[in-house]
Amino acid sequence: MNYAGVIVNKTSINLDKIFTYRIPDYMQKNICIGCRVKVPFGKGNRSIDGFVLRLYDEINLNNKIKSIISICDNFPLLTEKDLNLIEQMRRRYLCTYLECIKVFIPTGLFNGMKDKSEIRLYKGDNLTGRFLKEPYMSIYDIVSNYEGIYTKNFMSKKYNLSLSSINTMIKHGFIITEKKVVSRYDKNKYEVYSRKKLNYEQEKAVKSILNSKKSEFLIYGVTGSGKTEIYMHIVDEMLLEGKDVIILVPEIALTPQMVERFKGRFGNNISVFHSKLSKGERYDEWMRIKRGEIKVAIGARSAVFLPFNNLGMIIVDEEHEESYKSDSNPKYNVREIGRMKCNEYNCKMVLGSATPSIETYSRCKTGDIELIKIKNRADGASMPEVKVIDMREELLNNNNSMFSKALYDLISDRLNKKEQIILFLNRRGFSTFVSCRKCGYIFKCNNCDISLTYHHDIKKLVCHYCGSKINVPKVCPRCGSRYVKYFGIGTEKIEREVKKEFPQAKVLRMDFDTTRTKHSYENIYNIFKNHKADILIGTQMVAKGLDFSNVTLVGVIAADLSLNLPDFRSAERTYQLITQVSGRAGRGSKQGKVIIQTYSPENYSIKYAAAGDYEDFYEEEISIRRSMYYPPFSNILLINMSSKNENILIKNIQRIAILLKNKLADHDKIEVMGPCPCIISKIKEMFRWQIMIKGKIDLDIAQNVKKTVYNLIKDVYSDIKISIDINPNSTI
Ligand code: ADP
Ligand code: ZN
Ligand code: ZN
């Protein structure tokens, strides 16, 4: 092979193509597909990194072709399977080769990080002659006692020995050195989490997954049905077969509890990838996997790309979670990557959820995914009893506090019984917004056009998009009245109310604000676990993964908050949230209770979530999706453009919309909507507009749209930022 097709490490979309380079003769036996190489690039022939995507032979090229300078690493960073995935991803997610390559390689390695190694010392020849004296004799003694001691430990204060004496001894062969790679990964202690004997339903699930000819499975099991135990048994089986496993969990669920369980079962044979790992730790674990030293990894979204060679199974827990879709390029969806990997590696994928996504469940109906239902909780616990409270009636009964009478009474009861309580709110901050009660004026951020949130601790209004802060005005700027009031509720406000109403209770709050520092989540978690607190108040973070047997009451303070988001998935999200948070109740032997407070108790997602009736919820939701032609019956392509210059933005996005409408006019199943300002019409001084295309959009059509868009704004490229997303999480 004389020529290589190379992707260069340049982010510009104009350079997203394969460049041909000549392979010098001496390099030919070492170069291979997936190698990282140094190549000369541009007019100045600056040496930059590139990745070999293809090798070709004998093509008629002119002599001006530049030559590869060198090969960077002693192994190819990417495999052929990786490259196949990269090709598919680039097409599917309308992004560049380089953007795809970057998710396969840890940042550290990409930026030139190397293995960390240390020198170990072993004893060599026996001491002779002038070396039979101090400090040589002491040094020799220590090295003999601690075979393979690291220089660093050796030089520690304890011994206080000079490096020059050691070096002299090395030179004369009295000490032998060996360079060893050491891991930056912090191996922590764990308590053994013993195997459980599977119950009948779990056993059946494991068997069908291992024996079926299908490659994709959904375990739809109620909360507490013991899915984690099923995953672990599957991992056992895979290890017996010598296969590797990737377990994906939402970042938010990478809680100490989840990690404890997996570490407790698989010890240090499992790598845990969470967002708090350093670059070095990530690099080291990636290398260990690449070398085949590790067979199992658990991690958030991006762990799906870990370089296992012999992949047998991908497990996606809580498959409905939004965090499985990336919102920066490549805007991939983990389930889709898993599907691609199943084809490449001939492996299987298991999805698990108590509230499957509509998309996944509809694929079960069509037979693409094998459905495994688990109807009972694993440890014999019964499902919690759920009650929906109409808050409008509370108001009629002169109760205008944030707790309904039912919730208030139950909290008192649980506190008396020394049982624990979780209160859930789908918001953060002190209150949601501030408005004038007289004229209805709502305070909004000038930069971002979203309502400002009052923060009690700093007594200011804060914008949650750009972070700007203002003092709370005393009078309404529109009508001059003094009825400026906080509206809505936040976790901080609930905390204050709870402390006022139940002064005897110990209260914890878990939300974005209280979990920003490194161990804060863990601390709150441990305090609650050890029953050092009675009530845990929180946002989405408390809805998932927590398994505490002493929690017998869950209160959903305002179920409507997620219902009223302007997005076609808001009903699905509401159903999921209510079910998940309810699932935290009554996990032990005591019966759990759930109170859902809402202003719209008749809404189907609230009604069915309270009844634990996923099937009926699915049927109602899927018929709405069908009639509205929303996914899974169509694809949505969201073109989002933003710019500081509103005129240029509007002019260009209008041109694009007209062109796209013309181009797509003869596809009767495709609708081009917009352009219009986004619901959040400004973020950090950037105006935002969007075009939404809905319909039977296949890969070719999507590619065409991408080309059209980028072509048209070539000249104003520096002024306008573009994002194209296929089936985005949110259309806000
Ligand atoms: P899920 O992930 O489905 O919500 P978990 O895996 O957290 O459920 O299991 C719920 C509880 O049931 C856990 O406390 C777990 O230890 C317990 N459990 C799971 N399987 C068994 C079993 N076969 N026998 C006894 N207890 C079990
Ligand atoms: Zn007013
Ligand atoms: Zn703002």
Side-chain angles (χ1 to χ4, degrees):
M1 306 282 178
N2 306 333
Y3 297 97
V6 173
I7 295 297
V8 294
N9 184 13
K10 286 274 174 195
T11 44
S12 163
I13 189 154
N14 300 322
L15 300 178
D16 181 41
K17 49 186 143 212
I18 300 175
F19 292 90
T20 298
Y21 283 90
R22 188 189 306 282
I23 307 170
D25 289 345
Y26 73 92
M27 208 184 274
Q28 286 190 6
K29 62 179 191 299
N30 290 329
I31 201 156
C32 60
I33 280 180
C35 273
R36 174 163 59 172
V37 289
K38 290 268 181 225
V39 291
F41 191 77
K43 286 210 184 84
N45 280 333
R46 244 165 40 90
S47 159
I48 61 170
D49 281 359
F51 292 87
V52 177
L53 236 65
R54 316 202 195 303
L55 295 171
Y56 359 90
D57 230 347
E58 310 272 337
I59 36 176
N60 288 330
L61 290 165
N62 59 34
N63 286 331
K64 287 203 184 118
I65 294 284
K66 298 174 189 173
S67 291
I68 293 178
I69 299 169
S70 62
I71 301 175
C72 298
D73 316 270
N74 49 21
F75 64 97
L77 299 192
L78 300 162
T79 64
E80 282 191 40
K81 290 187 168 77
D82 294 339
L83 294 176
N84 291 341
L85 285 170
I86 286 166
E87 295 277 2
Q88 291 173 58
M89 286 170 67
R90 178 174 172 268
R91 264 173 81 72
R92 170 80 186 163
Y93 304 116
L94 307 164
C95 57
T96 66
Y97 280 116
L98 190 65
E99 284 164 339
C100 296
I101 289 173
K102 281 185 174 172
V103 295
F104 282 81
I105 301 172
T107 332
L109 181 59
F110 198 86
N111 296 334
M113 186 180 264
K114 293 268 186 288
D115 284 335
K116 182 180 167 193
S117 53
E118 277 181 10
I119 308 288
R120 275 175 180 249
L121 306 177
Y122 297 88
K123 72 172 176 190
D125 300 341
N126 287 335
L127 290 182
T128 52
R130 69 179 175 92
F131 289 97
L132 282 166
K133 64 169 193 212
E134 292 303 336
Y136 306 116
M137 284 165 72
S138 296
I139 295 176
Y140 197 75
D141 267 1
I142 297 169
V143 172
S144 314
N145 273 333
Y146 300 95
E147 278 279 303
I149 189 172
Y150 284 123
T151 22
K152 200 177 82 203
N153 301 344
F154 196 77
M155 300 293 296
S156 70
K157 282 212 179 70
K158 194 165 129 204
Y159 301 114
N160 198 17
L161 294 163
S162 86
L163 185 61
S164 66
S165 313
I166 297 173
N167 283 335
T168 312
M169 291 172 76
I170 293 171
K171 215 166 78 196
H172 287 81
F174 301 123
I175 293 179
I176 298 166
T177 61
E178 191 190 340
K179 204 168 155 188
K180 268 227 123 160
V181 173
V182 290
S183 174
R184 281 163 281 219
Y185 189 68
D186 181 22
K187 291 194 186 58
N188 35 30
K189 293 200 193 72
Y190 47 85
E191 279 170 46
V192 172
Y193 186 74
S194 56
R195 279 182 175 63
K196 293 193 167 57
K197 195 177 166 345
L198 295 186
N199 64 33
Y200 175 73
E201 285 187 292
Q202 288 171 319
E203 182 86 47
K204 220 175 92 186
V206 172
K207 283 220 175 97
S208 7
I209 290 165
L210 294 175
N211 298 335
S212 170
K213 291 237 163 9
K214 281 229 160 72
S215 63
E216 218 179 312
F217 304 85
L218 168 69
I219 306 177
Y220 158 45
V222 296
T223 51
S225 56
K227 292 185 286 294
T228 314
E229 202 58 42
I230 297 178
Y231 304 152
M232 289 184 176
H233 274 74
I234 293 174
V235 175
D236 283 339
E237 290 295 327
M238 286 294 120
L239 291 177
L240 281 178
E241 289 178 30
K243 298 258 177 72
D244 309 324
V245 188
I246 298 174
I247 302 148
L248 299 168
V249 295
E251 177 68 46
I252 219 164
L254 267 178
T255 56
Q257 191 160 34
M258 192 71 153
V259 175
E260 258 168 39
R261 285 192 190 175
F262 277 89
K263 278 259 163 198
R265 184 67 61 84
F266 302 104
N268 283 323
N269 296 322
I270 185 170
S271 272
V272 181
F273 284 83
H274 51 77
S275 60
K276 301 207 168 112
L277 285 193
S278 71
K279 271 187 197 159
E281 289 173 317
R282 252 166 225 282
Y283 169 95
D284 284 349
E285 288 306 280
W286 191 91
M287 291 297 275
R288 285 173 71 203
I289 292 170
K290 188 87 179 169
R291 289 193 296 261
E293 294 167 18
I294 294 264
K295 309 288 286 174
V296 190
I298 182 168
R301 181 173 71 215
S302 61
V304 75
F305 297 108
L306 288 172
F308 287 105
N309 271 319
N310 199 13
L311 195 61
M313 189 78 67
I314 300 171
I315 295 169
V316 186
D317 189 32
E318 310 282 7
E319 65 85 26
H320 60 276
E321 277 289 319
E322 276 183 57
S323 64
Y324 285 132
K325 168 95 168 71
S326 164
D327 47 23
S328 57
N329 279 346
K331 300 192 173 79
Y332 65 92
N333 178 321
V334 145
R335 292 192 303 251
E336 291 169 359
I337 302 292
R339 218 160 280 152
M340 293 174 192
K341 278 203 150 183
C342 284
N343 288 331
E344 287 294 325
Y345 290 81
N346 203 10
C347 65
K348 291 180 175 178
M349 174 160 72
V350 173
L351 309 172
S353 178
T355 52
S357 62
I358 296 293
E359 198 239 332
T360 295
Y361 209 68
S362 78
R363 287 172 61 85
C364 291
K365 298 268 175 188
T366 56
D368 294 332
I369 300 180
E370 186 169 325
L371 174 64
I372 297 166
K373 276 194 205 178
I374 302 188
K375 298 200 181 81
N376 300 298
R377 284 191 159 178
D379 47 5
S382 47
M383 295 303 287
E385 192 185 303
V386 183
K387 206 167 170 199
V388 179
I389 303 288
D390 187 342
M391 290 306 275
R392 294 169 305 192
E393 279 175 22
E394 296 289 317
L395 210 62
L396 286 178
N397 294 328
N398 281 330
N399 175 11
N400 57 5
S401 89
M402 64 173 70
F403 305 114
S404 59
K405 184 165 185 316
L407 184 56
Y408 184 93
D409 291 347
L410 280 168
I411 294 176
S412 316
D413 175 71
R414 296 312 194 249
L415 290 175
N416 281 336
K417 290 188 188 147
K418 302 255 173 288
E419 293 171 0
Q420 286 167 290
I421 299 153
I422 292 178
L423 297 178
F424 171 75
L425 189 84
N426 174 25
R427 273 285 161 85
R428 73 184 180 101
F430 176 80
S431 71
T432 48
F433 54 94
V434 173
S435 65
C436 167
R437 293 282 167 95
K438 202 168 170 199
C439 77
Y441 181 84
I442 293 171
F443 291 89
K444 287 189 169 184
C445 172
N446 287 337
N447 296 331
C448 305
D449 196 40
I450 63 162
S451 5
L452 295 163
T453 302
Y454 182 70
H455 278 242
H456 187 69
D457 46 356
I458 51 169
K459 303 208 163 25
K460 277 185 195 307
L461 288 169
V462 181
C463 169
H464 276 199
Y465 277 89
C466 72
S468 68
K469 303 179 179 78
I470 61 163
N471 289 322
V472 185
K474 294 230 167 17
V475 293
C476 171
R478 189 156 75 191
C479 74
S481 95
R482 291 183 170 271
Y483 290 130
V484 175
K485 287 266 157 60
Y486 318 127
F487 228 98
I489 35 178
T491 44
E492 271 182 80
K493 187 164 177 186
I494 298 179
E495 185 184 13
R496 294 194 325 137
E497 289 288 301
V498 169
K499 283 181 171 162
K500 203 172 82 196
E501 301 279 352
F502 307 99
Q504 76 277 28
K506 288 214 183 62
V507 183
L508 283 176
R509 177 160 63 91
M510 185 186 267
D511 56 22
F512 183 77
D513 292 321
T514 62
T515 54
R516 250 181 277 197
T517 56
K518 190 160 180 179
H519 294 294
S520 46
Y521 183 99
E522 225 165 315
N523 289 340
I524 298 176
Y525 166 87
N526 280 322
I527 295 171
F528 199 63
K529 177 183 170 181
N530 298 325
H531 201 166
K532 298 259 168 58
D534 307 298
I535 302 179
L536 176 65
I537 299 166
T539 53
Q540 270 84 331
M541 270 175 225
V542 303
K544 284 141 208 168
L546 301 180
D547 183 11
F548 301 124
S549 57
N550 195 43
V551 173
T552 56
L553 174 62
V554 166
V556 179
I557 302 292
D560 326 64
L561 286 177
S562 59
L563 254 190
N564 296 326
L565 287 176
D567 190 274
F568 75 89
R569 284 200 188 84
S570 62
E572 182 181 355
R573 297 276 178 246
T574 305
Y575 183 93
Q576 288 163 353
L577 267 176
I578 292 179
T579 310
Q580 295 291 339
V581 73
S582 303
R584 302 310 115 209
R587 291 201 143 217
S589 51
K590 299 166 202 151
Q591 167 78 40
K593 266 209 171 158
V594 180
I595 296 288
I596 299 171
Q597 303 189 151
T598 174
Y599 291 87
S600 38
E602 64 288 339
N603 180 283
Y604 67 102
S605 65
I606 290 179
K607 210 170 64 187
Y608 290 131
D613 186 353
Y614 179 81
E615 290 288 342
D616 279 350
F617 169 72
Y618 172 82
E619 291 304 337
E620 187 144 353
E621 180 66 18
I622 199 81
S623 70
I624 295 172
R625 300 280 178 94
R626 189 181 290 114
S627 66
M628 298 298 296
Y629 205 45
Y630 276 131
F633 298 99
S634 64
N635 286 310
I636 283 182
L637 202 62
L638 192 69
I639 304 167
N640 188 308
M641 291 173 53
S642 55
S643 172
K644 288 198 168 161
N645 186 328
E646 199 176 14
N647 287 333
I648 291 186
L649 176 67
I650 296 175
K651 208 174 87 198
N652 282 284
I653 199 165
Q654 276 170 343
R655 279 169 62 206
I656 289 174
I658 291 169
L659 202 67
L660 288 176
K661 278 175 186 169
N662 283 336
K663 279 201 164 193
L664 296 170
D666 43 340
H667 297 268
D668 62 342
K669 289 250 165 192
I670 294 181
E671 198 183 334
V672 180
M673 290 175 281
C676 59
C678 302
I679 288 174
I680 297 154
S681 60
K682 205 173 165 193
I683 294 182
K684 292 187 182 155
E685 296 187 346
M686 300 278 275
F687 294 93
R688 303 171 76 233
W689 281 61
Q690 68 182 34
I691 297 171
M692 195 156 111
I693 308 177
K694 188 174 86 175
K696 290 249 173 296
I697 304 167
D698 61 23
L699 288 177
D700 289 332
I701 295 175
Q703 284 300 330
N704 262 325
V705 170
K706 177 184 166 189
K707 271 196 202 125
T708 308
V709 172
Y710 281 101
N711 250 331
L712 212 79
I713 63 145
K714 261 200 320 254
D715 311 329
V716 282
Y717 194 60
S718 53
D719 290 321
I720 297 180
K721 259 182 67 184
I722 299 182
S723 146
I724 306 181
D725 197 346
I726 181 108
N727 296 333
N729 268 333
S730 139
T731 50
I732 300 174

